[in-house]
């Protein structure tokens, strides 16, 4: 698998994030289970619309309000989306 690159990220209701990758694949990553855990994931709950694409499209991230970010790797997100797509088929 080549390194994945995210080109668009849009927060949807229920802490679901619509992602589009450079190769055209689109899908939804569900962050609700992580938000429910709290802790470091509280940054997502506090400002879901603050999501941004990380350097070179290799991640999505949320600022945590303390000068750091909570970030998620593009490769892992791609695998999650592909897994959801194949489970729905």
């Amino acid at each position: 698998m080549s390194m994945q690159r995210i080109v668009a990220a849009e927060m949807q209701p229920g802490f679901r994030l619509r992602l589009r990758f450079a190769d055209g694949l689109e899908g939804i990553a569900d962050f609700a289970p992580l938000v429910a855990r709290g802790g470091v994931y509280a940054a997502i709950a506090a400002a879901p619309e603050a999501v941004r694409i990380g350097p070179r499209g290799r991640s999505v991230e949320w600022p945590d309000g303390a000068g750091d970010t909570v970030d998620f790797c593009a490769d892992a997100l791609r695998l999650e989306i592909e897994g959801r797509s194949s489970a729905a088929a």
Side-chain angles (χ1 to χ4, degrees):
M1 172 192 272
S2 63
M3 291 177 44
Q4 301 302 315
R5 193 169 63 87
I6 298 168
V7 296
E10 179 185 355
M11 189 53 85
Q12 306 288 304
F15 303 110
R16 295 165 46 93
L17 185 64
R18 177 174 294 284
L19 296 169
R20 187 172 71 242
F21 291 85
D23 67 356
L25 177 80
E26 291 190 38
I28 300 286
D30 186 1
F31 287 88
L34 294 176
V35 169
R37 287 179 170 174
V40 298
Y41 305 115
I44 301 169
E49 70 285 348
V51 67
R52 61 187 179 217
I53 298 171
R56 296 176 306 285
R58 294 289 301 134
S59 63
V60 292
E61 55 190 34
W62 283 265
D64 71 355
D68 289 320
T69 59
V70 176
D71 61 351
F72 297 87
C73 168
D75 296 333
L77 291 167
R78 173 75 179 233
L79 288 172
E80 178 184 341
I81 288 169
E82 287 176 337
R84 268 188 218 289
S85 297
S86 66

